[in-house]
């Protein structure tokens, strides 16, 4: 497989950096072709400018965005790795999505029949995505009743609202909890988890998000009453418990 690894951490000698190094090595040993977008090393500009609007359709995208599109077209799978900062992505990574997933590429893509292709369909359909994250919170505190909110809920904007929106099949994430105090033993556990998940990159079942055009949603994009009857919240957008 062709795998693009998008990495957003300022310090290569961090826990995140060590996991990235091991992950890239693992993928190469497995025979995959790997390319990287190391956003801090690239000095990625995360700020959308006026010139970025309409640039895809008018074929005047800036070269840094064109280069990322080329990597994404090449990739069969994308690993998105970051430390969880304020419940979300480091700004540099948020700005990678803002600028790279532009109108006509990440959203606003129309099919031949004029329908908007999103939530399971789009330019990135057929590609896999997996999030690798470190978080200071311990695992129970990111569980269903944990004070941080459940991991699946915290990642919903990225998983569902960005990666799946653009068409990708999103695999369950690879989280490393309690990442501010990691013993040697815990590091080995985290590294081994990442290795095993990378080994299964081609075969892991994606998160079963409902596709927009599956018939599950009405014309207002509201889930039909006979799907997950009576239920509310983010989990209703799964076809079965994730
Ligand atoms: C600006 C900032 C915001 C953070 N916000 C969160 C957060 O919302 N939830 C959490 O669990 N940890 C949070 N943390 C802790 C980081 O996730 C943790 O330090 C990091 O994942 C450790 O991995 P590293 O050594 O590779 O940086 C935050 C850390 C920083 C610096």
């Amino acid at each position: 497989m062709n795998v693009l690894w998008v990495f957003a951490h300022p310090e290569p000698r961090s826990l995140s950096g060590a996991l990235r190094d091991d992950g890239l090595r693992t993928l190469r040993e497995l025979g995959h072709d790997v390319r990287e977008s190391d956003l801090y090393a690239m000095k990625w500009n995360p700020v959308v400018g006026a010139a970025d609007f309409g640039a895809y359709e008018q074929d005047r995208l800036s070269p840094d965005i064109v280069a990322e599109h080329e990597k994404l077209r090449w990739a069969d799978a994308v690993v998105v790795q970051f430390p969880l900062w304020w419940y979300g992505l480091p700004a540099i990574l948020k700005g990678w999505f803002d600028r790279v997933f532009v109108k006509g590429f990440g959203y606003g893509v129309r099919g031949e029949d004029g329908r908007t292709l999103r939530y399971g369909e789009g330019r990135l359909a057929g590609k896999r995505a997996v999030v690798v994250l470190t978080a200071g919170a311990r695992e129970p505190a990111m569980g269903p009743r944990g004070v941080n909110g459940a991991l699946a809920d915290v990642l919903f904007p990225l998983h569902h609202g960005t990666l799946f929106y653009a068409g990708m099949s999103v695999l369950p994430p690879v989280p490393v909890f309690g990442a501010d105090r990691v013993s040697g033993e815990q590091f080995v556990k985290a590294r081994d988890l990442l290795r095993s998940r990378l080994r299964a990159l081609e075969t892991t079942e994606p998160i079963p998000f409902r596709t927009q055009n599956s018939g599950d949603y009405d014309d207002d994009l509201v889930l039909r009453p006979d799907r997950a009857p009576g239920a509310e919240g983010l989990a209703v957008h799964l076809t079965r418990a994730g």
Side-chain angles (χ1 to χ4, degrees):
M1 271 183 139
N2 292 342
V3 185
L4 172 63
W5 195 296
V6 182
F7 179 68
H9 198 292
E11 174 51 70
R13 286 161 300 177
S14 57
L15 169 63
S16 295
L19 292 170
R20 182 267 314 262
D21 294 346
D22 196 79
L24 290 176
R25 204 165 32 243
T26 301
L27 288 172
R28 291 196 177 100
E29 281 168 12
L30 289 165
H32 297 301
D33 287 325
V34 182
R35 292 171 73 181
E36 200 185 351
S37 289
D38 181 342
L39 302 186
Y40 282 93
M42 292 158 63
K43 299 192 174 17
W44 176 258
N45 166 21
V47 181
V48 175
D52 293 332
F53 281 94
Y56 183 86
E57 294 106 322
Q58 295 164 25
D59 204 19
R60 52 171 180 80
L61 279 178
S62 75
D64 59 346
I65 299 178
V66 172
E68 297 309 294
H69 284 183
E70 193 268 311
K71 289 183 203 171
L72 281 165
R73 284 198 190 91
W74 166 88
D76 303 306
V78 180
V79 178
V80 181
Q81 189 197 354
F82 58 95
L84 189 67
W85 284 357
W86 293 118
Y87 277 54
L89 313 180
I92 200 167
L93 179 58
K94 174 64 166 56
W96 184 83
F97 283 107
D98 289 346
R99 291 192 63 235
V100 174
F101 281 33
V102 283
K103 186 167 183 217
F105 187 84
Y107 72 100
V109 178
R110 289 190 184 274
E112 279 169 15
D113 57 0
R115 275 180 322 146
T116 301
L117 303 179
R118 60 187 166 202
Y119 293 118
E121 298 175 301
R123 237 173 255 295
L124 299 179
K127 298 177 190 294
R128 304 187 139 227
V130 61
V131 168
V132 176
L133 82 158
T134 54
R138 285 180 296 115
E139 186 165 6
M142 291 204 87
R145 288 170 62 86
V147 69
N148 295 279
L151 179 65
D153 292 351
V154 172
L155 290 178
F156 191 81
L158 174 59
H159 275 166
H160 186 265
T162 310
L163 299 167
F164 184 66
Y165 187 100
M168 302 180 90
S169 301
V170 185
L171 309 188
V174 184
V176 178
F177 298 106
D180 286 319
R181 297 163 298 276
V182 173
S183 65
E185 197 181 325
Q186 285 165 325
F187 175 76
V188 169
K189 212 172 137 206
R191 187 199 64 190
D192 288 351
L193 170 69
L194 179 57
R195 284 182 183 173
S196 71
R197 288 296 311 279
L198 293 174
R199 267 185 231 116
L201 193 57
E202 288 169 273
T203 52
T204 302
E205 277 294 312
I207 300 170
F209 289 128
R210 298 176 190 275
T211 56
Q212 176 184 289
N213 294 312
S214 58
D216 286 344
Y217 296 94
D218 66 18
D219 291 343
D220 291 323
L221 296 183
V222 175
L223 195 62
R224 294 186 191 282
D226 58 338
R227 269 65 161 192
E232 294 178 357
L234 304 180
V236 302
H237 302 294
L238 301 170
T239 56
R240 55 183 161 74

